[in-house]
């Protein structure tokens, strides 16, 4: 599954939070088609998996780890039954952005190396870490921009 974070407007937030499963799917299609500001969107390809594991308890459990790190990818309000569509409020986005600023390469590498390889599909080698680190840096910058714009965020993996 490929991951994307979107910083959404307050109008989009209202529509999304009022939507049922079918409408959430339609909303995501429209959002993807109307991407206007790449600074407020970030693609993480498949790196979202390792990023979430590094920032939490090493699993893909949306409730794993501690807030606010847990809310960078899978933590938050889940809005769809079949896909990851995870909502993080603007206030939570500010908390996540502040927390992510404290994460450096050495810290992330220690967490990456501690992932249980039996439960992780990545190679878990130097190349996989570079891929994870580069995508994490993009997520870190994205959350700073989303917080500065006072936007909520949704993460999707489909």
């Amino acid at each position: 599954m490929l991951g994307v974070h979107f910083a959404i407007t307050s109008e989009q937030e209202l529509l999304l939070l009022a939507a049922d499963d079918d409408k959430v799917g339609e909303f995501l299609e429209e959002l993807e088609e109307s991407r206007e500001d790449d600074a407020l969107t970030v693609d993480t390809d498949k790196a979202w998996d390792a990023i979430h594991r590094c920032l939490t308890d090493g699993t893909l459990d949306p409730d794993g780890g501690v807030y606010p790190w847990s809310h960078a990818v899978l933590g938050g309000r889940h809005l769809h039954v079949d896909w990851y569509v995870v909502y993080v409020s603007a206030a939570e986005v500010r908390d996540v952005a502040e927390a992510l600023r404290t994460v450096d390469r050495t810290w992330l590498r220690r967490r990456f190396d501690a992932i249980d390889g039996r439960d992780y599909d990545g190679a878990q080698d130097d190349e996989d870490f570079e891929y994870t680190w580069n995508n994490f840096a993009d997520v870190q910058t994205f959350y700073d921009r989303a917080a500065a714009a006072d936007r909520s965020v949704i993460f999707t993996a489909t």
Side-chain angles (χ1 to χ4, degrees):
M1 292 192 289
L2 305 179
V4 182
H5 286 80
F6 297 93
I8 58 175
T9 66
S10 55
E11 294 81 17
Q12 291 170 321
E13 177 183 22
L14 291 173
L15 289 171
L16 180 63
L17 294 178
D20 61 17
D21 267 5
D22 291 335
K23 293 291 184 191
V24 167
E26 291 173 19
F27 176 86
L28 292 177
E29 285 179 30
E30 290 175 20
L31 188 62
E32 184 67 39
E33 290 172 5
S34 67
R35 278 183 165 182
E36 294 176 10
D37 189 348
D38 284 338
L40 294 174
T41 303
V42 68
D43 293 304
T44 53
D45 195 44
K46 296 178 183 176
W48 64 269
D49 180 312
I51 293 168
H52 179 77
R53 291 171 189 272
C54 289
L55 295 175
T56 62
D57 62 359
T59 71
L60 285 183
D61 182 355
D63 297 321
V66 295
Y67 178 85
W69 291 274
S70 62
H71 280 52
V73 181
L74 293 180
R77 181 174 165 190
H78 288 250
L79 302 176
H80 199 276
V81 175
D82 297 323
W83 313 313
Y84 286 123
V85 180
V86 185
Y87 164 80
V88 179
S89 72
E92 293 168 326
V93 166
R94 288 187 294 276
D95 292 344
V96 172
E98 185 177 331
L100 294 183
R101 281 186 223 114
T102 68
V103 176
D104 64 16
R105 184 183 181 89
T106 302
W107 185 90
L108 196 74
R109 181 65 195 235
R110 274 195 310 271
R111 302 289 295 211
F112 179 83
D113 289 342
I115 293 172
D116 184 350
R118 296 171 296 182
D119 185 41
Y120 174 64
D121 291 333
Q124 206 169 2
D125 57 12
D126 289 341
E127 185 177 333
D128 190 25
F129 175 73
E130 288 302 318
Y131 170 74
T132 301
W133 171 254
N134 290 331
N135 278 278
F136 169 76
D138 291 344
V139 169
Q140 197 175 37
T141 300
F142 164 80
Y143 267 101
D144 279 338
R145 289 179 179 152
D150 198 31
R151 298 269 187 111
S152 299
V153 165
I154 57 168
F155 168 76
T156 66
T158 54

